[in-house]
Amino acid sequence: MIYLERSSPALLCPHPNPLYGYCYQDSEDIPDTLTTITELGAPVEMIQLLQTSWEDRFRICLSLGRLLHHLAHSPLGSVTLLDFRPRQFVLVDGELKVTDLDDARVEETPCTSSTDCILEFPARNFTLPCSAQGWCEGMNEKRNLYNAYRFFFTYLLPHSAPPSLRPLLDSIVNATGELTWGVDETLAQLEKVLHLYRSGQYLQNATARSRAEYQRLPGSAIPQEDYRCWPSYHHGSCLLSVFNVAEAVDICESHAQCQAFVVTNQTTWTGRQLVFFKMGWSHMVPDPNKTTYVRASG
């Protein structure tokens, strides 16, 4: 679903990720107007997001990184969002979209020296260089980036992430918190995390552990025998995404109550399979869309 909003002077060209826009000759003969067409999504509730899977939280941060990249390289110049808070965004199919452009600004801050280029936030300030052309270098971009850090990255990126990805995620959080990276490098590192996670390369450096034997039972499922784990895609059971069966075995081995798991034909946005982890297999039923693995006795 979409809704229309009359906004102030044209700031952004149409882009498939952050928003849809359409410029036209206004019949009311009002100059410098833009009608933005933005998707209707769910409000951003940070407490709820903290209870979701890391994979879904990373998707939000990745979509935010792509949005910031678009704002930094818009046809009209670098765009900053002066009112950068979670309530200015919505979630559409798991991705972050901006919905309020009233406080967007294109112009960089003029300066005569770096003392005119102080970027102020509640917790700390940054001093940026003043260019030879008399503009504070990268102030719009850096304002967006630090707001992304303090409202989103610091809460959503590191927690419950795969251990082998934590050093890279921590470097993203630290670099955006210190503004040592720009938007381009931040997005490049987020895309690197996506590649490592989607390809399964993040598992290559995982410590090999002795695995129990599991019997494969295709075309079967375990309707009950659930237990809860966190984070899970289902509040009443332990439903996680895995890259392959070997990762599912490792997860089951790490849960004291796990005795079996059921691989479904459902996948997440990265193509990973969803798996139910079970505390037993006393009652099994036929299901052509699932494969059950049970721990071998002995």
Side-chain angles (χ1 to χ4, degrees), residues 115-161:
T115 57
D116 299 321
C117 301
I118 299 176
L119 197 53
E120 298 180 339
F121 296 99
R124 62 178 304 181
N125 299 332
F126 298 90
T127 301
L128 303 180
C130 179
S131 71
Q133 292 74 33
W135 300 99
C136 295
E137 291 185 6
M139 180 165 279
N140 285 352
E141 174 182 333
K142 293 298 180 69
R143 179 183 286 109
N144 288 342
L145 193 57
Y146 190 79
N147 279 325
Y149 156 78
R150 71 189 185 107
F151 286 118
F152 290 96
F153 292 166
T154 190
Y155 298 111
L156 302 183
L157 267 183
H159 307 295
S160 70

Coordinates of all heavy atoms in Angstrom, one line a residue, residues 115-161:
T115 N 35.7 25.9 13.0 CA 34.8 26.2 14.2 C 33.4 26.4 13.9 O 32.5 26.4 14.7 CB 35.4 27.5 14.9 OG1 35.4 28.5 14.0 CG2 36.8 27.2 15.5
D116 N 33.1 26.6 12.6 CA 31.7 26.7 12.1 C 31.1 25.4 11.8 O 30.0 25.3 11.4 CB 31.7 27.6 10.8 CG 32.1 29.0 11.1 OD1 31.8 29.6 12.2 OD2 32.8 29.6 10.2
C117 N 31.9 24.3 11.9 CA 31.5 23.0 11.4 C 31.4 22.0 12.6 O 32.0 20.9 12.6 CB 32.5 22.4 10.4 SG 32.6 23.5 8.9
I118 N 30.7 22.4 13.6 CA 30.6 21.6 14.8 C 29.2 20.8 14.7 O 28.2 21.4 14.6 CB 30.6 22.4 16.1 CG1 31.9 23.1 16.3 CG2 30.3 21.5 17.3 CD1 32.0 24.0 17.5
L119 N 29.3 19.5 14.7 CA 28.2 18.6 14.5 C 27.8 18.2 16.0 O 28.5 17.5 16.6 CB 28.5 17.4 13.7 CG 27.4 16.6 13.1 CD1 26.4 17.4 12.3 CD2 28.0 15.5 12.3
E120 N 26.6 18.7 16.4 CA 26.2 18.6 17.8 C 25.2 17.5 18.0 O 24.2 17.4 17.3 CB 25.7 19.9 18.4 CG 26.7 21.0 18.4 CD 26.2 22.3 18.9 OE1 24.9 22.4 18.9 OE2 27.0 23.1 19.4
F121 N 25.4 16.6 19.0 CA 24.5 15.6 19.4 C 24.4 15.6 20.9 O 25.2 16.2 21.6 CB 25.0 14.2 18.9 CG 25.0 14.1 17.4 CD1 26.2 14.2 16.7 CD2 23.8 13.8 16.7 CE1 26.2 14.1 15.4 CE2 23.9 13.7 15.3 CZ 25.1 13.8 14.7
P122 N 23.3 15.0 21.5 CA 23.2 15.1 22.9 C 24.4 14.5 23.7 O 24.7 15.0 24.8 CB 21.9 14.2 23.2 CG 21.1 14.4 21.9 CD 22.2 14.4 20.8
A123 N 25.0 13.4 23.2 CA 26.0 12.8 24.0 C 27.4 13.3 23.6 O 28.3 13.2 24.5 CB 26.0 11.3 23.7
R124 N 27.6 13.8 22.4 CA 29.0 14.3 22.0 C 28.9 15.2 20.8 O 27.8 15.2 20.1 CB 29.9 13.1 21.8 CG 29.5 12.2 20.6 CD 30.5 11.1 20.4 NE 31.8 11.6 20.1 CZ 32.9 10.9 19.9 NH1 32.7 9.6 19.9 NH2 34.1 11.4 19.7
N125 N 30.0 15.9 20.5 CA 30.1 16.7 19.4 C 31.2 16.3 18.5 O 32.2 15.7 19.0 CB 30.3 18.2 19.8 CG 29.1 18.7 20.6 OD1 28.0 18.3 20.5 ND2 29.4 19.7 21.4
F126 N 31.2 16.7 17.2 CA 32.2 16.4 16.3 C 32.6 17.7 15.5 O 31.7 18.5 15.2 CB 31.8 15.3 15.2 CG 31.5 14.0 15.8 CD1 30.2 13.7 16.2 CD2 32.5 13.0 16.0 CE1 29.9 12.5 16.7 CE2 32.2 11.8 16.5 CZ 30.9 11.5 16.9
T127 N 33.9 17.9 15.3 CA 34.3 19.1 14.5 C 34.7 18.6 13.1 O 35.7 17.8 13.0 CB 35.4 19.8 15.2 OG1 34.9 20.3 16.4 CG2 35.8 21.0 14.3
L128 N 34.1 19.1 12.1 CA 34.4 18.6 10.7 C 35.2 19.7 10.0 O 35.2 20.9 10.4 CB 33.1 18.4 9.9 CG 32.2 17.3 10.5 CD1 31.0 17.1 9.7 CD2 32.9 16.0 10.7
P129 N 36.0 19.4 9.0 CA 36.8 20.4 8.3 C 36.0 21.3 7.4 O 34.9 21.0 6.9 CB 37.7 19.5 7.4 CG 37.0 18.2 7.2 CD 36.2 18.0 8.5
C130 N 36.5 22.5 7.2 CA 35.8 23.5 6.4 C 36.6 23.5 5.0 O 37.8 23.6 5.0 CB 35.9 24.9 7.0 SG 35.2 26.2 6.0
S131 N 35.9 23.3 4.0 CA 36.5 23.1 2.7 C 37.0 24.5 2.1 O 36.5 25.6 2.6 CB 35.5 22.5 1.7 OG 34.5 23.4 1.4
A132 N 37.8 24.4 1.1 CA 38.2 25.7 0.5 C 37.1 26.4 -0.2 O 37.2 27.6 -0.4 CB 39.3 25.4 -0.6
Q133 N 36.0 25.7 -0.5 CA 34.9 26.3 -1.1 C 33.9 27.0 -0.1 O 32.9 27.6 -0.5 CB 34.1 25.3 -2.0 CG 34.8 24.8 -3.2 CD 35.9 23.8 -2.9 OE1 35.8 23.1 -1.9 NE2 37.0 23.9 -3.7
G134 N 34.3 26.8 1.2 CA 33.5 27.4 2.2 C 32.3 26.6 2.7 O 31.2 27.2 3.1
W135 N 32.4 25.3 2.6 CA 31.3 24.4 3.1 C 31.9 23.4 4.0 O 33.0 22.9 3.9 CB 30.7 23.7 1.9 CG 30.1 24.6 0.9 CD1 30.6 24.9 -0.3 CD2 28.8 25.2 0.9 NE1 29.8 25.8 -1.0 CE2 28.7 26.0 -0.3 CE3 27.8 25.3 1.9 CZ2 27.5 26.8 -0.5 CZ3 26.7 26.0 1.6 CH2 26.5 26.8 0.4
C136 N 31.1 23.1 5.1 CA 31.5 22.0 6.0 C 31.5 20.7 5.3 O 30.5 20.2 4.8 CB 30.6 22.0 7.2 SG 30.6 23.5 8.2
E137 N 32.7 20.0 5.2 CA 32.8 18.8 4.4 C 32.0 17.6 5.1 O 32.3 17.2 6.2 CB 34.3 18.4 4.3 CG 35.1 19.4 3.5 CD 36.5 18.9 3.3 OE1 36.8 17.8 3.7 OE2 37.3 19.7 2.7
G138 N 31.1 17.1 4.3 CA 30.4 15.9 4.7 C 29.4 16.0 5.9 O 29.1 15.0 6.5
M139 N 29.0 17.2 6.2 CA 28.2 17.4 7.4 C 26.9 16.7 7.3 O 26.4 16.1 8.2 CB 28.0 18.9 7.8 CG 27.2 19.1 9.0 SD 27.3 20.7 9.7 CE 28.8 20.6 10.6
N140 N 26.2 16.8 6.1 CA 24.9 16.2 5.9 C 25.0 14.7 6.0 O 24.3 14.0 6.7 CB 24.3 16.5 4.5 CG 23.8 17.9 4.5 OD1 23.7 18.6 5.5 ND2 23.4 18.4 3.3
E141 N 26.0 14.1 5.4 CA 26.3 12.7 5.4 C 26.6 12.2 6.8 O 26.1 11.2 7.3 CB 27.4 12.3 4.4 CG 27.9 10.9 4.5 CD 29.0 10.6 3.5 OE1 29.2 11.4 2.5 OE2 29.8 9.7 3.8
K142 N 27.5 12.9 7.5 CA 27.9 12.5 8.8 C 26.8 12.6 9.8 O 26.7 11.8 10.8 CB 29.1 13.3 9.3 CG 30.4 13.0 8.5 CD 30.8 11.6 8.6 CE 32.1 11.3 7.8 NZ 33.3 11.9 8.3
R143 N 25.9 13.6 9.7 CA 24.8 13.7 10.6 C 23.8 12.5 10.4 O 23.4 11.9 11.4 CB 24.0 15.0 10.3 CG 22.8 15.2 11.2 CD 21.9 16.4 10.9 NE 22.6 17.6 11.4 CZ 23.1 18.5 10.6 NH1 23.1 18.3 9.3 NH2 23.7 19.6 11.1
N144 N 23.5 12.1 9.2 CA 22.7 10.9 9.0 C 23.4 9.7 9.6 O 22.7 8.9 10.2 CB 22.5 10.7 7.5 CG 21.5 11.8 6.9 OD1 20.8 12.4 7.6 ND2 21.6 11.9 5.6
L145 N 24.7 9.6 9.3 CA 25.4 8.4 9.7 C 25.4 8.2 11.3 O 25.2 7.1 11.8 CB 26.8 8.4 9.2 CG 27.6 7.1 9.2 CD1 26.8 5.9 8.5 CD2 29.0 7.3 8.6
Y146 N 25.7 9.3 12.0 CA 25.7 9.2 13.4 C 24.3 8.9 14.0 O 24.2 8.2 15.0 CB 26.3 10.5 14.1 CG 26.6 10.3 15.5 CD1 27.7 9.6 16.0 CD2 25.7 10.8 16.5 CE1 28.0 9.4 17.3 CE2 26.0 10.6 17.8 CZ 27.1 9.9 18.3 OH 27.3 9.7 19.6
N147 N 23.3 9.5 13.4 CA 22.0 9.2 13.9 C 21.6 7.8 13.6 O 20.9 7.1 14.4 CB 21.0 10.1 13.2 CG 20.9 11.5 13.8 OD1 21.0 11.6 15.0 ND2 20.7 12.5 13.0
A148 N 22.1 7.2 12.5 CA 21.8 5.8 12.2 C 22.5 4.9 13.3 O 22.0 3.9 13.8 CB 22.4 5.4 10.9
Y149 N 23.7 5.4 13.7 CA 24.4 4.7 14.8 C 23.7 4.7 16.1 O 23.4 3.7 16.7 CB 25.8 5.3 14.9 CG 26.4 5.1 16.3 CD1 27.0 3.8 16.7 CD2 26.4 6.1 17.3 CE1 27.5 3.6 17.9 CE2 26.9 5.9 18.5 CZ 27.5 4.7 18.9 OH 28.0 4.5 20.1
R150 N 23.3 5.9 16.5 CA 22.7 6.0 17.9 C 21.3 5.5 18.0 O 20.8 5.2 19.1 CB 22.8 7.5 18.4 CG 22.0 8.5 17.7 CD 22.4 9.9 18.2 NE 21.5 11.0 17.7 CZ 20.6 11.6 18.4 NH1 20.5 11.4 19.7 NH2 19.9 12.6 17.9
F151 N 20.5 5.5 16.9 CA 19.1 5.1 16.9 C 19.0 3.6 16.5 O 18.0 3.0 16.9 CB 18.2 6.0 16.1 CG 18.0 7.3 16.7 CD1 18.4 8.5 16.1 CD2 17.3 7.4 17.9 CE1 18.1 9.7 16.6 CE2 17.1 8.6 18.5 CZ 17.5 9.8 17.8
F152 N 19.9 3.1 15.6 CA 19.6 1.8 15.1 C 20.8 0.8 15.2 O 20.7 -0.2 15.8 CB 19.3 1.9 13.6 CG 18.0 2.5 13.3 CD1 17.9 3.9 13.0 CD2 16.8 1.8 13.3 CE1 16.6 4.5 12.8 CE2 15.6 2.3 13.1 CZ 15.5 3.7 12.8
F153 N 22.0 1.2 14.7 CA 23.1 0.2 14.6 C 23.5 -0.3 16.0 O 23.7 -1.5 16.2 CB 24.3 0.9 14.0 CG 24.2 1.2 12.5 CD1 25.1 2.0 11.8 CD2 23.1 0.6 11.8 CE1 24.9 2.3 10.5 CE2 22.9 0.9 10.4 CZ 23.8 1.7 9.8
T154 N 23.6 0.6 17.0 CA 24.2 0.2 18.3 C 23.2 -0.7 19.0 O 23.7 -1.6 19.8 CB 24.4 1.5 19.1 OG1 25.1 1.1 20.3 CG2 23.1 2.1 19.5
Y155 N 21.9 -0.7 18.7 CA 21.0 -1.6 19.3 C 20.7 -2.9 18.5 O 20.5 -4.0 19.1 CB 19.6 -0.9 19.5 CG 19.7 0.3 20.4 CD1 19.5 1.6 19.9 CD2 19.9 0.2 21.8 CE1 19.6 2.7 20.7 CE2 20.0 1.3 22.6 CZ 19.8 2.5 22.1 OH 19.9 3.6 22.9
L156 N 20.7 -2.8 17.2 CA 20.2 -3.9 16.3 C 21.4 -4.8 15.8 O 21.1 -5.9 15.5 CB 19.4 -3.3 15.2 CG 18.2 -2.5 15.6 CD1 17.4 -2.1 14.4 CD2 17.3 -3.3 16.6
L157 N 22.6 -4.2 15.6 CA 23.6 -5.0 14.8 C 24.3 -6.1 15.6 O 24.3 -7.2 15.2 CB 24.6 -4.0 14.3 CG 24.4 -3.5 12.8 CD1 25.6 -2.6 12.4 CD2 24.2 -4.7 11.8
P158 N 24.8 -5.8 16.8 CA 25.7 -6.8 17.4 C 25.0 -7.9 18.2 O 25.5 -9.1 18.2 CB 26.6 -6.0 18.4 CG 26.2 -4.6 18.2 CD 24.8 -4.6 17.6
H159 N 23.9 -7.7 18.8 CA 23.3 -8.6 19.8 C 22.8 -9.9 19.1 O 22.0 -9.8 18.1 CB 22.2 -7.9 20.5 CG 22.6 -6.6 21.1 ND1 23.6 -6.5 22.1 CD2 22.2 -5.3 20.9 CE1 23.8 -5.2 22.4 NE2 23.0 -4.5 21.7
S160 N 23.2 -11.0 19.6 CA 22.9 -12.3 19.2 C 23.3 -12.6 17.8 O 22.7 -13.5 17.1 CB 21.4 -12.6 19.4 OG 20.6 -11.9 18.4
A161 N 24.3 -11.9 17.3 CA 24.8 -12.2 15.9 C 25.7 -13.4 16.0 O 26.2 -13.8 17.0 CB 25.7 -11.0 15.5

